[in-house]
Amino acid sequence: MLLTAIFVLLGLLALTIPVAAALFILAMVLEWEFAAAPLSRALGHQIWDTSTNFILVSIPLFILIGELLLRSGIATKVYDALDSWLSWMPGGLMHANIGTATMFSATSGSSVATAATVGTIALPQAPRFGYDERFFAGSIAAGGTLGILLPPSINLIVYGFLAQASIPQLFMAGIIPGLVLSGLFMLAILVMCLIKPEWGGERRKSTMAQRFAKLVHLVPVLVLFGFIMGAIYTGWATPTEAAAIGTVVALIMAFMAGTLSWKMVGEALEGTMRTTCMIMLIMIAANFLNFILASIGLTDSLLSTIATLDLSPMQTLFLLIGFYIILGFFIETLSLMIITIPLVAPLITSLGFDPVWFGILLIVLIEMALITPPVGLNLFVVQGVRKRGNLNEVIVGSIPFVLLMFVMVLLLIAFPGLALFLPNLATGG
């Protein structure tokens, strides 16, 4: 049963059938082969149950916030401010790439949106100031992955929805690991550019007066983050309501920046609808597939199979890590989460691991998949924005950052408090 599901899914994806269609087809095949009753009659209920869940309304709202920041020019000003503070270091602008990605991640919730935004602003600077383009592009692809670890993260919302974990706690749990990973990226850039100075490009200095004058450009992002997270953690708003508040604040900021127009809002809404429709169609298909899997007993069968291996909880955890790394090479990240979490989450809980901690560990593994070929989305996004050279250059430039994500996984296993300190502090645990 399990092998049938795996081979059918991989076969459908190999035929380049869209993920949502592949999940629906797989569900129908498994029903036809293994179900004792016509389970497809519950499809309407499954679609309604998924598409009317209140927490999922936050997804298009967070995507819209990112679109508004990009199209209003606020993101460009953030990059300029960080450039003035960081470009004196070895690796100069690459530190600004990571810093801008970190700040933009704290408002957009999307890895692809973060990589596209920073790439659009930064990539023209690489040849101008003599940077190694492979490493420069790799820093943007890697920095973009922070969009799904730092709150508010769309992927954390999806994980919380599927694993029945607290989304506010997941948001809190992602803050310290996100900042640590950002720091590791910047440390790697510093070390690599000290070893290979020719990679670091031109180092430029700004006066303290210039630096402090540009700090004002960071205020909109910090204010927006404060509104969103403050509304959630004071108990004033749910994540969905906080996303709505953030959208209103982003519109006000675009108006104050003088870039708000019907054309700009229309483009932002169009981009939001495209991304949201893709995500929701995949989630509806995956929810129906999960219903089929549970009904035919595949979930229980998988748990029983792992139990018969007689592995310790830590051995099982490393088995799952290897499982996600391998699948991450071939399956789009959001799809990978939606397909596997309903199967893996009960297992993780039964082994005694904290589901919030595992959610952060899983997101780091998903980040890794975003910058590893052949389907690493951020690689394609950065190369698409770059419009010169070839994809292999971006892949090579991303390798040091992939290795650092392995380090982050090991740090989370060795020090679970990196993820659990803030949630425990908030709950008094």
Side-chain angles (χ1 to χ4, degrees), residues 22-52:
L23 297 181
F24 273 121
I25 293 171
L26 175 59
M28 296 298 184
V29 169
L30 293 176
E31 180 204 14
W32 176 72
E33 186 69 26
F34 301 107
L39 300 175
S40 57
R41 294 182 180 178
L43 177 59
H45 173 74
Q46 294 297 317
I47 293 174
W48 177 261
D49 187 54
T50 305
S51 58
T52 57

Side-chain angles (χ1 to χ4, degrees), residues 165-189:
S166 167
I167 291 173
Q169 285 195 16
L170 286 166
F171 280 1
M172 272 194 143
I175 293 174
I176 294 178
L179 295 177
V180 169
L181 189 56
S182 175
L184 288 175
F185 287 165
M186 295 179 75
L187 179 62
I189 291 169

Side-chain angles (χ1 to χ4, degrees), residues 251-377:
L251 283 167
I252 293 172
M253 288 178 174
F255 174 76
M256 293 175 66
T259 54
L260 185 66
S261 66
W262 287 112
K263 183 175 183 290
M264 187 272 276
V265 173
E267 291 173 348
L269 288 173
E270 181 180 353
T272 300
M273 287 188 288
R274 288 179 184 276
T275 305
T276 302
C277 288
M278 176 194 71
I279 292 172
M280 287 305 301
L281 191 57
I282 292 173
M283 290 197 68
I284 289 169
N287 195 48
F288 178 58
L289 174 61
N290 295 334
F291 167 71
I292 298 292
L293 295 178
S295 299
I296 65 178
L298 183 57
T299 304
D300 293 336
S301 174
L302 177 62
L303 296 177
S304 300
T305 300
I306 293 176
T308 59
L309 296 177
D310 197 26
L311 300 175
S312 69
M314 194 57 67
Q315 288 173 327
T316 305
L317 178 64
F318 277 102
L319 179 66
L320 289 173
I321 289 172
F323 168 76
Y324 273 106
I325 290 173
I326 292 170
L327 287 185
F329 291 136
F330 306 104
I331 303 178
E332 188 271 326
T333 52
L334 185 63
S335 308
L336 176 59
M337 289 182 64
I338 294 171
I339 293 168
T340 60
I341 288 171
L343 299 176
V344 171
L347 174 62
I348 285 297
T349 303
S350 70
L351 293 173
F353 294 110
D354 189 295
V356 171
W357 169 83
F358 181 74
I360 302 304
L361 181 71
L362 174 61
I363 291 297
V364 176
L365 293 170
I366 294 298
E367 286 185 301
M368 198 182 300
L370 282 166
I371 55 173
T372 51
V375 293
L377 282 181

Side-chain angles (χ1 to χ4, degrees), residues 382-400:
V382 171
Q383 180 58 28
V385 173
R386 187 172 170 233
K387 297 178 181 177
R388 59 181 179 272
N390 59 65
L391 182 65
N392 290 336
E393 293 174 345
V394 186
I395 294 172
V396 171
S398 299
I399 291 173

Side-chain angles (χ1 to χ4, degrees), residues 151-176:
S153 161
I154 293 170
N155 290 59
L156 282 176
I157 293 171
V158 171
Y159 174 84
F161 172 72
L162 294 173
Q164 298 299 301
S166 167
I167 291 173
Q169 285 195 16
L170 286 166
F171 280 1
M172 272 194 143
I175 293 174
I176 294 178

